[in-house]
Amino acid sequence: MKRKLLITGAAGTIGSVVFKGLQQDNRYDVVGADIHADEKLGIVQMDIGDEARLAELTQGIDTVIHFAWIKDDGDFLGKVLAGNVSGAYKLFEAAVQNGVRRMIFASSNHATGYYRTDEKVGPHDPYRPDSFYGLSKCYIELLGRLYSDQGKISSFNIRIGNFPGDDRPHSERAGHIWISERDMLQLIVCCIEADDGLKYLNLYGTSANSDNYYNIDYLEELIGYKPEDDATKLLELAKATGRNVRQDETIYQGGQQA
Ligand SMILES: NC(=O)C1=CN([C@@H]2O[C@H](COP(=O)(O)OP(=O)(O)OC[C@H]3O[C@@H](n4cnc5c(N)ncnc54)[C@H](O)[C@@H]3O)[C@@H](O)[C@H]2O)C=CC1
Ligand SMILES: O=C(O)[C@H]1OC(=O)[C@H](O)[C@@H](O)[C@@H]1O
């Protein structure tokens, strides 16, 4: 039987690529949902704050892939807490009520953005959020930890590096954290298909960048993730062909200067 997937934020930069990729994979039946419905693309309407709609959409779902996000870090009490964090809670509740097997959450490199750029960071290093945005990602990761420890759902948090939407790295910083479209799709499939015994996982989502800030090597053995692209090489090529590469090396991995 096909696995039934729900993708939130399916009209967004990453969600649209993943939605299209998974629709073409005959192992899956995919429902794409977003606050901006798109009839042509088959994306249904859903507001992450609407509990009744979430209860409806999570029925019969095997795996939820949660990308929906309101990008406004300036409004901590409103958009961040009352929007994104509360929305994630409502989604988890609906998923658990409907017996969803696994939640894959689009976390971010900014959950640990205050590590220095000369450090190599792995999933067991302590949180070091560099913004309210990063902090809210930590909070939602821990929501997943709680539900997982309670035995209610398997919960994976992918700390995505940089996915700009045109499938190429644009800056020195991206050279350390970028992920290509095909690697993102592969990683999502690996997370969906990972052993049911894996109840909780934090991982960094990047391509095989030669200068990665993060340790991702163990993922091949653990979940079969074998990234094919390397931002460092692509940036060298870009420079050689005269394309502009932003010089934005910073003190901290998340891009903060102080
Ligand atoms: N693009 C990147 O480089 C990175 C993205 N991420 C995370 O990945 C996720 C997706 O990122 P992008 O695709 O870049 O963002 P995006 O802004 O392009 O997509 C977000 C989608 O969520 C939808 N949305 C917003 N509010 C909603 C609501 N109340 N209910 C339902 N849908 C709603 C938007 O309409 C949009 O289609 C986000 O959670 C983001 O924090 C993490 C690290 C890096
Ligand atoms: O750090 C980065 O480059 C990216 O990190 C994120 O978490 C953001 O969602 C994305 O808009 C940034 O571009």
Side-chain angles (χ1 to χ4, degrees):
M1 215 173 66
K2 289 188 176 190
R3 284 191 197 279
K4 198 167 171 195
L5 313 175
L6 171 66
I7 301 179
T8 73
T13 310
I14 307 182
S16 58
V17 170
V18 171
F19 181 46
K20 198 167 156 206
L22 294 178
Q23 273 181 319
Q24 288 163 1
D25 189 325
N26 59 20
R27 286 172 290 182
Y28 308 122
D29 270 337
V30 196
V31 178
D34 201 286
I35 198 157
H36 300 301
D38 187 325
E39 223 171 283
K40 253 196 271 157
L41 295 176
I43 296 172
V44 301
Q45 209 280 337
M46 177 231 37
D47 184 333
I48 201 69
D50 181 345
E51 286 161 285
R53 185 68 174 137
L54 292 174
E56 199 181 339
L57 284 172
T58 49
Q59 271 172 41
I61 296 292
D62 172 88
T63 301
V64 174
I65 305 151
H66 180 35
F67 292 114
W69 201 261
I70 308 150
K71 285 196 175 175
D72 185 348
D73 207 31
D75 181 12
F76 183 61
L77 294 174
K79 304 256 169 51
V80 178
L81 282 184
N84 295 325
V85 174
S86 139
Y89 163 75
K90 289 175 182 173
L91 181 62
F92 264 107
E93 279 292 309
V96 166
Q97 286 303 319
N98 279 318
V100 169
R101 180 186 61 104
R102 179 164 291 155
M103 174 78 72
I104 299 171
F105 169 57
S107 185
S108 168
N109 69 85
H110 295 282
T112 56
Y114 260 136
Y115 282 96
R116 297 176 72 94
T117 52
D118 58 3
E119 291 175 285
K120 189 94 173 174
V121 178
H124 300 299
D125 289 314
Y127 287 114
R128 294 190 77 170
D130 61 7
S131 51
F132 290 137
Y133 172 70
L135 177 64
S136 64
K137 293 290 186 184
C138 301
Y139 198 90
I140 298 169
E141 285 192 7
L142 286 169
L143 204 56
R145 170 104 254 182
L146 174 64
Y147 283 104
S148 151
D149 281 345
Q150 289 174 332
K152 293 176 173 170
I153 197 166
S154 162
S155 170
F156 284 24
N157 299 307
I158 306 178
R159 295 176 186 161
I160 299 168
N162 172 266
F163 185 106
D166 59 358
D167 210 20
R168 52 185 194 177
H170 292 275
S171 69
E172 294 291 347
R173 178 173 168 268
H176 307 278
I177 66 172
W178 179 76
I179 181 163
S180 68
E181 291 189 359
R182 62 180 172 174
D183 287 343
M184 175 64 80
L185 189 59
Q186 187 203 145
L187 181 56
I188 295 288
V189 169
C190 289
C191 289
I192 297 168
E193 296 299 327
D195 195 285
D196 281 0
L198 270 177
K199 298 296 185 198
Y200 183 77
L201 195 64
N202 283 345
L203 63 150
Y204 287 89
T206 72
S207 283
N209 308 318
S210 314
D211 279 334
N212 232 349
Y213 288 152
Y214 316 114
N215 174 14
I216 61 162
D217 295 344
Y218 69 98
L219 288 173
E220 183 174 351
E221 199 185 327
L222 187 64
I223 58 170
Y225 178 54
K226 261 176 88 170
E228 297 178 74
D229 296 303
D230 179 344
T232 313
K233 286 197 187 129
L234 290 170
L235 286 170
E236 277 164 16
L237 198 69
K239 283 184 211 157
T241 53
R243 189 159 72 79
N244 184 40
V245 172
R246 233 171 31 252
Q247 303 293 312
D248 60 353
E249 288 286 9
T250 51
I251 301 176
Y252 298 103
Q253 296 182 353
Q256 309 282 358
Q257 289 292 3

